[in-house]
Amino acid sequence: MNSEFPPALFITGTDTEVGKTVVSAILVAGLTAEYWKPVQSGANAGTDTAWIKEKTGLPDSFFHPETYILSHFLSPHAAAFREGIRIDISAMTAPTRRQSSHLIIEGAGGILTPLTETETIADLIIQLHIPVLLVARSGLGTINHTLLSLEKLRRIGADVLGVVMNGPQDPENRKAIETFGNIRVCAEIGPIPEISPESLSETFRSCFRLCELALDISKRYR
Ligand SMILES: Nc1ncnc2c1ncn2[C@@H]1O[C@H](COP(=O)(O)OP(=O)(O)O)[C@@H](O)[C@H]1O
Ligand SMILES: [Mg+2]
């Protein structure tokens, strides 16, 4: 079943704090995948890499070092400016997998979050050329944010595999996103009371295992 997922997935979101790291952790635990966060800002408050390492319990070798770590809790372009760091995405490539069949890459913020004075996460998605999963909140406001994000992803030619809705299930919002967005909601992740290697793997099994995403991808990436 694991082989049915593509070798690399880029996890983006409709906003910051929508659950990109939690969804990444579910995929890392469920697929025993490697993880890479190319640009981390707000590192003073902890990094997503450290959080996923702790919650999945996987060894260090599953985690690739961030290309840019910024201390300030700001948009990467602003944090980099304050810290005198120049982010250069033109040469960025995904790290080579060391031991797993899968690599999960987590963006920063949303699709139009600036990385430099002229470039955003959208440019990084194009540069890396990796299929995308869009994480969205399940509740009020998500339809507009998700449809706008999908529109941008399609305009830049990204390969959008589906939307992951995070939060208490909301069938009406799901239906609106699928219909207006002409996209598949490939998983709905409810609140996880206690995040642990076991609950992450269990969430993967219950939310992703039977999703059409895996079946579709198996046809496209074989
Ligand atoms: N399904 C969930 N169950 C439990 N906690 C969640 C869930 N989704 C998000 N959270 C919590 O909400 C916060 C924001 O999620 P996070 O994954 O860090 O967002 P992002 O990476 O998009 O900024 C974190 O504290 C995270 O642990
Ligand atoms: Mg995150």
Side-chain angles (χ1 to χ4, degrees), residues 79-177:
F81 181 77
R82 285 212 193 173
E83 292 164 39
I85 290 170
R86 198 182 149 269
I87 295 180
D88 178 9
I89 66 169
S90 67
M92 268 169 119
T93 53
T96 307
R97 286 177 279 111
R98 301 170 177 136
Q99 58 202 312
S100 168
S101 315
H102 304 281
L103 172 69
I104 303 301
I105 303 171
E106 181 181 345
I111 292 141
L112 288 180
T113 294
L115 297 175
T116 70
E117 286 187 2
T118 56
E119 295 156 309
T120 67
I121 287 287
D123 297 289
L124 179 60
I125 289 172
I126 295 308
Q127 165 70 22
L128 295 177
H129 200 65
I130 280 167
V132 172
L133 273 185
L134 176 65
V135 180
R137 293 192 180 92
S138 59
L140 189 64
T142 196
I143 300 173
N144 179 53
H145 289 154
T146 307
L147 297 181
L148 284 170
S149 300
L150 286 171
E151 202 168 298
K152 178 64 183 177
L153 285 167
R154 285 180 175 140
R155 197 174 310 154
I156 64 172
D159 184 10
V160 191
L161 298 177
V163 170
V164 176
M165 291 181 74
N166 186 36
Q169 281 198 7
D170 190 320
E172 287 178 357
N173 284 349
R174 175 186 179 143
K175 186 159 177 266
I177 286 169

Side-chain angles (χ1 to χ4, degrees), residues 11-100:
I11 310 300
T12 189
T14 56
D15 196 359
T16 190
E17 295 280 302
V18 291
K20 295 183 301 293
T21 303
V22 168
V23 169
S24 297
I26 291 166
L27 292 166
V28 167
L31 296 167
T32 325
E34 295 175 26
Y35 174 82
W36 180 46
K37 173 96 178 177
V39 181
Q40 172 75 63
S41 68
N44 278 350
T47 66
D48 288 348
T49 302
W51 191 87
I52 296 187
K53 204 183 282 187
E54 183 202 324
K55 298 298 180 187
T56 60
L58 284 170
D60 289 356
S61 56
F62 280 80
F63 298 88
H64 296 269
E66 298 89 343
T67 310
Y68 297 98
I69 298 200
L70 307 158
S71 311
H72 287 77
F73 201 67
L74 293 170
S75 162
H77 83 299
F81 181 77
R82 285 212 193 173
E83 292 164 39
I85 290 170
R86 198 182 149 269
I87 295 180
D88 178 9
I89 66 169
S90 67
M92 268 169 119
T93 53
T96 307
R97 286 177 279 111
R98 301 170 177 136
Q99 58 202 312
S100 168

